[in-house]
Amino acid sequence: MVYGPPSGFTRSKPAVNIDPEYCIGCGKCIRLCRRGDVLTLRKEGAKTVAFAHDPLNCAGCGLCLQNCPTHAVRITMSLRV
């Protein structure tokens, strides 16, 4: 049996996502991000939250995930075409 991504796909790539329901807008994830342009702050109603501006540019280091005080950050692996 052959293991790996389906034909036509390349290796898995990390993608970061932030749940606005849990995010308190502290900006810790943005300061710790190694790539710099992946996460930004934005207004959602009366609340300021972190937002994954370019989620597929994530390095997958997990610094944002480990240091989020409310556990709002998720890093998933996705197949790229």
Side-chain angles (χ1 to χ4, degrees):
M1 179 173 254
V2 177
Y3 293 98
S7 85
F9 288 91
T10 58
R11 68 178 185 83
S12 296
K13 177 97 173 100
V16 65
N17 294 300
I18 307 219
D19 188 342
E21 186 176 326
Y22 294 107
C23 181
I24 59 173
C26 67
K28 212 179 229 187
C29 56
I30 297 168
R31 288 190 300 277
L32 292 170
C33 184
R34 299 159 87 197
R35 298 285 171 109
D37 61 344
V38 176
L39 302 169
T40 60
L41 286 176
R42 77 172 182 185
K43 284 284 230 187
E44 283 211 357
K47 186 177 173 183
T48 300
V49 296
F51 171 71
H53 173 68
D54 189 6
L56 290 176
N57 196 17
C58 175
C61 67
L63 285 174
C64 56
L65 178 71
Q66 295 169 3
N67 291 286
C68 180
T70 59
H71 308 288
V73 180
R74 300 283 182 262
I75 296 178
T76 58
M77 298 300 280
S78 61
L79 294 175
R80 304 245 348 206
V81 178

